[in-house]
Amino acid sequence: MPGGRLTQQDRRRIAVGLADGLSYTEIAKGLDRPVSTVTREVMRNGGPHGYRADQAHRATQRRARRSTPRQAPQAPAPSVDSARVRDFADRFTELLVATGIPRMMAAVLACLYTSEDGSLTAAELVRVLKVSPASVSKAVVYLEGQELIRRERDARERRDRYVIDEDVWFRAMLASARMNAALAEAAQEGAEILDAATAASAAARLSDMGRFLDRVGQDLVRSAEHWREVFVQERRGRE
């Protein structure tokens, strides 16, 4: 059903559409799914030229098993009370702000990174950062949208916890790649429109932009997949 999880058959139809040269929009229309769902599926599973339906389905099943909520800790996560850690968190926040992340969101991210287990509730974030619940709520919505944090339900305490896990930057890289793919597709569409209108110079600029972003996005996905697998193996070796 529209909005539900992709089935293995859906993924095979995506693979066929890519092989036939269809755009994400055309594939999504055929599946009665949002374009963002198809774009995210392709970019996190090898990109438009490396997508394999059965491999993508198995990878999704593995990710689902890894994301099963863990048992809630027996004690609340400790506050950041060390002066040295607070100083680092402040400097880390400033670096995140310099990358373009809004300050409140950067502060929440830095707080989660410097917490004991990378997991805090909204109330704990309010207490540590000394800000309003509304500020924390807005920040976590933004960070979830950027796939920089993950929400888990604490069944014991009946409240949400916000988590930094080992796949956070992998997901962030894929989110960046999806944006590159969307921009690349829009640029190519614009190039075709302007070329038909005989605006050759503008069409060439957009075509170059689209090709560049498409190639960079594919390289980004391949690199993210490679290094994620390397780090997974390293973690297993330490266990």
Side-chain angles (χ1 to χ4, degrees), residues 83-96:
R84 188 175 180 185
V85 173
R86 284 201 306 271
D87 178 65
F88 170 77
D90 289 343
R91 289 186 287 112
F92 193 43
T93 298
E94 293 303 322
L95 288 171
L96 291 170

Side-chain angles (χ1 to χ4, degrees), residues 4 7 11 19 26 33 47 53 64 87-88 93 118 129 151 165 173 177-178 196 198 232-233 236:
T7 65
R11 292 187 167 92
E26 291 170 323
R33 302 278 185 153
D87 178 65
F88 170 77
T93 298
L129 294 173
R151 185 191 302 245
D165 62 27
M173 290 298 101
R178 289 195 295 272
T198 69
V232 166
Q233 294 301 325
R236 288 174 180 169

Side-chain angles (χ1 to χ4, degrees), residues 117-128:
D117 64 354
S119 168
L120 294 170
T121 65
E124 290 165 345
L125 286 165
V126 167
R127 185 176 68 248
V128 173

Side-chain angles (χ1 to χ4, degrees), residues 19-31:
D20 290 343
L22 298 183
S23 68
Y24 294 142
T25 301
E26 291 170 323
I27 295 171
K29 185 177 180 180
L31 293 173

Side-chain angles (χ1 to χ4, degrees), residues 153-196:
R153 186 66 177 172
D154 188 330
R156 183 174 63 86
E157 299 182 15
R158 296 184 180 179
R159 56 183 178 177
D160 290 334
R161 302 190 71 83
Y162 300 99
V163 178
I164 295 283
D165 62 27
E166 67 248 21
D167 273 347
V168 60
W169 288 107
F170 174 69
R171 293 196 304 273
M173 290 298 101
L174 292 180
S176 177
R178 289 195 295 272
M179 178 56 69
N180 279 348
L183 287 171
E185 186 170 355
Q188 292 291 1
E189 180 182 358
E192 292 171 7
I193 291 171
L194 289 166
D195 188 52

Side-chain angles (χ1 to χ4, degrees), residues 232 234-239:
V232 166
E234 288 179 351
R235 282 194 296 270
R236 288 174 180 169
R238 293 194 296 266
E239 293 174 354

Side-chain angles (χ1 to χ4, degrees), residues 36-234:
S36 60
T37 297
V38 174
T39 304
R40 180 169 59 249
E41 168 67 17
V42 174
M43 296 311 297
R44 78 185 308 178
N45 291 292
H49 302 295
Y51 185 81
R52 300 292 182 271
D54 292 342
Q55 290 179 12
H57 194 69
R58 289 193 295 270
T60 300
Q61 290 177 323
R62 288 195 300 271
R63 286 192 292 267
R65 288 194 293 270
R66 284 198 301 269
S67 64
T68 300
R70 57 188 174 180
Q71 184 177 358
Q74 296 302 308
S79 303
V80 178
D81 53 7
S82 160
R84 188 175 180 185
V85 173
R86 284 201 306 271
D87 178 65
F88 170 77
D90 289 343
R91 289 186 287 112
F92 193 43
T93 298
E94 293 303 322
L95 288 171
L96 291 170
V97 170
T99 70
I101 298 177
R103 183 169 295 279
M104 188 67 245
M105 292 63 169
V108 168
L109 199 57
C111 188
L112 283 167
Y113 263 106
T114 55
S115 66
E116 181 68 21
D117 64 354
S119 168
L120 294 170
T121 65
E124 290 165 345
L125 286 165
V126 167
R127 185 176 68 248
V128 173
L129 294 173
K130 297 180 174 58
V131 296
S132 70
S135 296
V136 168
S137 177
K138 183 178 180 181
V140 297
V141 167
Y142 172 91
L143 292 170
E144 281 187 287
Q146 298 296 312
E147 301 193 45
L148 290 170
I149 65 173
R150 176 165 53 82
R151 185 191 302 245
E152 287 183 356
R153 186 66 177 172
D154 188 330
R156 183 174 63 86
E157 299 182 15
R158 296 184 180 179
R159 56 183 178 177
D160 290 334
R161 302 190 71 83
Y162 300 99
V163 178
I164 295 283
D165 62 27
E166 67 248 21
D167 273 347
V168 60
W169 288 107
F170 174 69
R171 293 196 304 273
M173 290 298 101
L174 292 180
S176 177
R178 289 195 295 272
M179 178 56 69
N180 279 348
L183 287 171
E185 186 170 355
Q188 292 291 1
E189 180 182 358
E192 292 171 7
I193 291 171
L194 289 166
D195 188 52
T198 69
S201 295
R205 282 195 299 272
L206 283 169
S207 179
D208 287 345
M209 172 187 171
R211 291 169 57 214
F212 178 81
L213 291 175
D214 179 56
R215 300 301 189 277
V216 168
Q218 292 178 42
D219 287 347
L220 186 60
V221 170
R222 282 193 293 268
S223 181
E225 291 278 6
H226 168 73
W227 288 109
R228 176 176 174 275
E229 186 60 30
V230 169
F231 294 152
V232 166
Q233 294 301 325
E234 288 179 351

